[in-house]
């Protein structure tokens, strides 16, 4: 046995069993993947008709943290995040227009171009919050049309599908366990259904597998199928890509809690109707965030994007820190005060880390407590609290602290190992600044303190126009020459 494998083995023995809250069982289940060394994981991805907001980003930060934990526990992870570029209707339950087509019509653009632009923005956001895209597959729904048609055909042949005027539907009455995920009260769901119900459907829960293009209407995105020209339903896309890229049975499937009642129950129904075996072993769902106490909504105009966070001088990693201070299943209310607090905390942690010398090893006690928090359904708030106590522990050597913080950061993804001492930033002394820039800086500081962020943003642009760049630190802002 080589030295490396010896250590690897020893390390693994110290790791407690992972427990995750499984929406399917409703319990905290011990995680036992299908294969000993490899985990397959699928995360429902963005519908790329419009830019993803920070609520959406929270879903991927959760998935990434989960991936990092699995890696730390020694598993290789095959991870897929789909890009929905067709078929997601305005209502998740097959009513209304296709979000992509509607957005294209409104903007007078090609759906494909919108999808590409939004996907690029999405990728940039992922990079900034510390998600390593090179390890993830990002299939696009429009590139898997043949696979989706093949699944609809299989369901048709097995007697699970029927045709009505506007498409091919899944017959939920034929799948006895329909609604098992999250123990959905189907009667209640029916009552809550929208008024414009499709009266031809055998049951309000039946969902579209394939929708026909409307007669006389030319869609931008449509394909031929054995039943007629049209496009795939949203739910079938995830199953088709999972079957193709990860297999007929996978370990973990994640999404936001909004996906439990309809989308994920539909995925289970169509997949298990085809294979006759369990589709996903562990279903994990992240809670929603609200913004300043309100649901994120375009019409309320309260949507916050990552670029807004950056514009206000905060780092993407500070947003990640903020999200990780709440458990992934606890709803969180985003406020700018909380963002400020997270930014200050992360700067403090970063500075503490940078002052510590290299060459230590992680104290066993800290390792044990960190692992205990993470194995307990990914308890990141406890892990962060433990890191803070650890930094203040006078019985631990400075080098040991550095090693411990780095270990925690392998999972938290706060980018501490990339943090550089601020000495490498060429800070311009105030007295060396042109008077005009000095005044702008002071005005901007005052605006920031008064929380007049728009004004502060305008002043930042002016300062940048004069050839200087601002680094916002928790207690003050510094200027560097561009
Ligand atoms: P969508 O692009 O709407 O399909 O959503 C992408 C992901 O973001 C899904 O996993 C959603 O469940 C999740 N999501 C949407 N809104 C929020 C929110 N306010 N907070 C947390 N997650 C959200
Ligand atoms: Zn999905």
């Amino acid at each position: 046995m080589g030295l490396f494998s010896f250590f690897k083995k020893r390390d693994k023995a110290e790791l407690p069993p992972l427990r995750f809250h499984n929406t399917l069982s409703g319990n905290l289940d011990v995680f036992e993947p299908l294969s000993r060394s490899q985990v397959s994981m699928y995360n429902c991805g963005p519908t790329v008709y419009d830019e993803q907001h920070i609520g959406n980003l929270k879903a991927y930060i959760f998935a990434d943290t989960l991936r990092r934990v699995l890696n730390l526990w020694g598993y290789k992870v095959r991870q897929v995040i789909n890009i929905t570029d067709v078929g997601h209707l305005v209502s998740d339950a097959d009513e209304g227009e296709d979000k992509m087509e509607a957005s294209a019509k409104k903007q007078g653009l090609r759906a494909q171009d919108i999808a590409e632009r939004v996907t690029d923005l999405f990728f940039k956001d992922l990079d900034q919050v510390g998600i390593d895209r090179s390890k993830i597959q990002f299939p696009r729904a429009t590139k898997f049309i043949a696979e989706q048609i093949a699944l609809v055909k299989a369901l048709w042949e097995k007697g699970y599908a029927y045709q009505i005027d506007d498409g091919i539907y899944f017959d939920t009455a034929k799948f006895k366990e329909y609604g098992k995920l999250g123990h959905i009260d189907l009667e209640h769901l029916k009552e809550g259904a929208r008024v414009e119900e499709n009266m031809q459907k055998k049951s309000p829960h039946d969902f579209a597998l394939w929708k026909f293009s409307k007669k006389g209407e030319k869609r931008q995105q449509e394909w031929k199928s054995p039943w007629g020209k049209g496009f795939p339903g949203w739910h079938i896309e995830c199953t088709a890509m999972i079957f193709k890229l990860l297999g007929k049975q996978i370990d973990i499937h994640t999404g936001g809690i909004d996906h439990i009642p309809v989308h994920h129950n539909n995925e289970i129904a169509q997949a298990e109707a085809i294979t006759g075996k369990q589709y996903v072993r562990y279903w994990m769902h992240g809670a929603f965030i609200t913004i300043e106490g309100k649901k994120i909504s375009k019409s309320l105009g309260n949507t916050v994007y990552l670029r807004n966070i950056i514009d206000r001088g905060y780092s993407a990693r500070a947003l990640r820190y903020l999200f990780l201070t709440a458990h992934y299943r606890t709803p969180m209310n985003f406020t700018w005060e909380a963002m400020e607090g997270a930014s200050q905390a992360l700067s403090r942690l970063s500075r503490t880390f940078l002052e510590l010398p290299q060459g230590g090893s992680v104290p066993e006690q800290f390792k044990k407590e960190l692992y205990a928090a993470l194995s307990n359904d990914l308890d990141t708030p406890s892990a962060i609290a433990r890191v803070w106590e650890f930094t203040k522990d006078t019985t631990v050597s400075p080098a040991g602290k550095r090693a411990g913080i780095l270990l925690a950061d392998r999972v938290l993804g706060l980018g501490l190992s990339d943090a550089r001492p601020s000495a490498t930033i060429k800070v311009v002394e105030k007295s060396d600044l042109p008077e005009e820039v000095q005044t702008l800086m002071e005005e901007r500081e005052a605006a920031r303190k008064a929380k007049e962020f728009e004004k502060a943003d305008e002043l930042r642009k002016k300062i940048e126009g004069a050839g200087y760049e601002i680094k916002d630190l928790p207690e003050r802002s510094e200027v560097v020459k561009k």
Side-chain angles (χ1 to χ4, degrees), residues 42 44-45 82 234 238 253 259 263-264 267:
Y42 184 89
C44 276
N82 65 308
W234 173 43
C238 292
H253 194 315
H259 288 341
H263 182 48
H264 287 166
E267 274 195 52

Side-chain angles (χ1 to χ4, degrees), residues 3-4 11 27 38 49-50 54 64 104 108 117 155 171 173 222 250 268-269 298 307 349 368 436 441 460 464 477:
L3 199 60
F4 178 66
D11 233 26
N27 296 322
Q38 189 167 273
Y49 71 108
D50 199 2
I54 58 168
D64 182 60
R117 189 182 68 84
L155 288 168
D171 191 348
E222 56 183 7
I250 64 165
I268 292 175
K298 270 252 151 103
R307 59 184 161 77
L349 186 60
K368 219 171 124 189
E436 170 209 338
M441 276 296 289
R460 164 195 283 273
E464 286 175 351
S477 299

Side-chain angles (χ1 to χ4, degrees), residues 162-174:
Y162 62 91
Q163 179 166 353
I164 54 178
D165 284 351
D166 74 346
I168 307 294
Y169 281 76
F170 185 93
D171 191 348
T172 51
K174 296 252 167 71

Side-chain angles (χ1 to χ4, degrees), residues 456-475:
D457 285 348
E458 274 169 31
L459 290 161
R460 164 195 283 273
K461 281 181 196 134
K462 280 193 188 158
I463 295 164
E464 286 175 351
Y468 293 87
E469 203 177 319
I470 301 175
K471 297 271 172 222
D472 283 318
L473 301 176
E475 315 81 4

